[in-house]
Each structure stands twice: as structure tokens, then as C-alpha cells.
Amino acid sequence: MTLTPASVIAAAAALADEDGFDAVTLSAVARRLGVRTPSLYSHVRDRDALLDGVTGLALGELAARVGEAVAGRAGRDALDGFAAAHRAYAREAPGRWQALQRQVGEDVVRSDAAREVVALTGAVLRGYPIPQDEHVHVIRLLGSTINGYLALERSGNFDHSEPPPAASWPRVVEALDALLRAWPTRSGG
């Protein structure tokens, strides 16, 4: 295998999915690729760049899924697709999803993938009577609710009570929809 930045990032993403995002180190990726750790430095600057690469990859994949899930939909239907895409990605690519739950470098923040995720979230919000200057607050609420639920579900925190988490998920999305339809129009501070 010829090493490239993309192949190193792909190996790191696969490692994250198999062993957890915290397991991603330069030495672990080098072992996975069958090379010595110094061989990676011509492809990634350091561990932070490696982790940012996994996050960038995850953002691109999530954007593609969300884009497909919300295409041609509006309001509650778009919100359902948006939430379902996040949940499916968290289940199918757990390490890459974990990569999305961290503070990232400026290159990731300014990436096309990050802009695409923001634009798709904005497209979902257009189906609700929410002023543009309130979008940042709504995006924070959506992220907190969806990612918080997914983190608690993944860690097994919901496994000790009935009904099962799968029964609560539609209720969470329904509550988000009701909240977005009734979003307050004035700032509270």
C-alpha cells in the first residue's frame, strides 16, 4: 500500500470505529498500516492533524448522509431525516461519530464539509418559523439534544429502564419539532 494523507486518515478512521476514537494515535495507525511511526509524518503533521483528518472525513460522510436524508423534504419530514441520518451514522461509524464530538482545528472549521453540514442544517430550519438571527441557538439545541441522546444511548445509560431507547427516540424528535414550531421570537439574554 502506498501511503497518502487520505490512506493514513482512512486507517485512523477504521481504527476509531473498531477500538474507539481515543485509541487513535500515530503509533497505532502506523502498526495498522505495517509501517514505522516516523513514516506517517510526511503525510500528517502530528496527532492533532490526524484527529482533525478523521473529523474532516466524518463531516464529509455525515454531510452526504444528511443531504440525502433531507433532500426534497421540509419541516418535520426534514427534521426526521436529519435526526435519523445522525443516529444511523453514530451507530454505523461509532469512532468517526466520536470524532465529531470534539473541538477541532481551524482547517476543519473552515472546510467544505463543515460548511455543507451547516448549510444542510439551515435547510432543515427553513421549514420552521425561526428568524435567521436565532439559527445559531437552534443549531446548538439540535446538536446538544441529538448528540447528547446518542452519547447516552451508546454508553448504555438508557439500558436499565423501560421502554427501550428505540421507543424514546421518535418522542425526542417529536419534541424537537414542537419546540422548533414554537420557537420564541425575542431574545431572553
Side-chain angles (χ1 to χ4, degrees), residues 8 37 113:
V8 172
T37 303

Side-chain angles (χ1 to χ4, degrees), residues 9 13 21 48-63 89 96 99-100 102 104-105 107-109 111-114 117:
I9 298 303
F21 188 68
D48 286 340
L50 181 66
L51 299 180
D52 278 357
V54 175
T55 304
L57 174 68
L59 277 169
E61 292 172 347
L62 182 62
Y89 190 72
R96 285 176 276 179
L100 297 170
R102 61 183 282 273
V104 297
D107 288 346
V108 177
V109 171
S111 70
D112 291 340
V117 169

Side-chain angles (χ1 to χ4, degrees), residues 4 33 38 52 55 63 78 91 105 109-110 116 129 133 152 173-174 178:
T4 64
L33 292 170
D52 278 357
T55 304
R91 287 178 163 185
V109 171
R110 298 174 196 271
E116 182 68 14
D133 64 346
L152 291 168
V173 177
E174 182 180 344

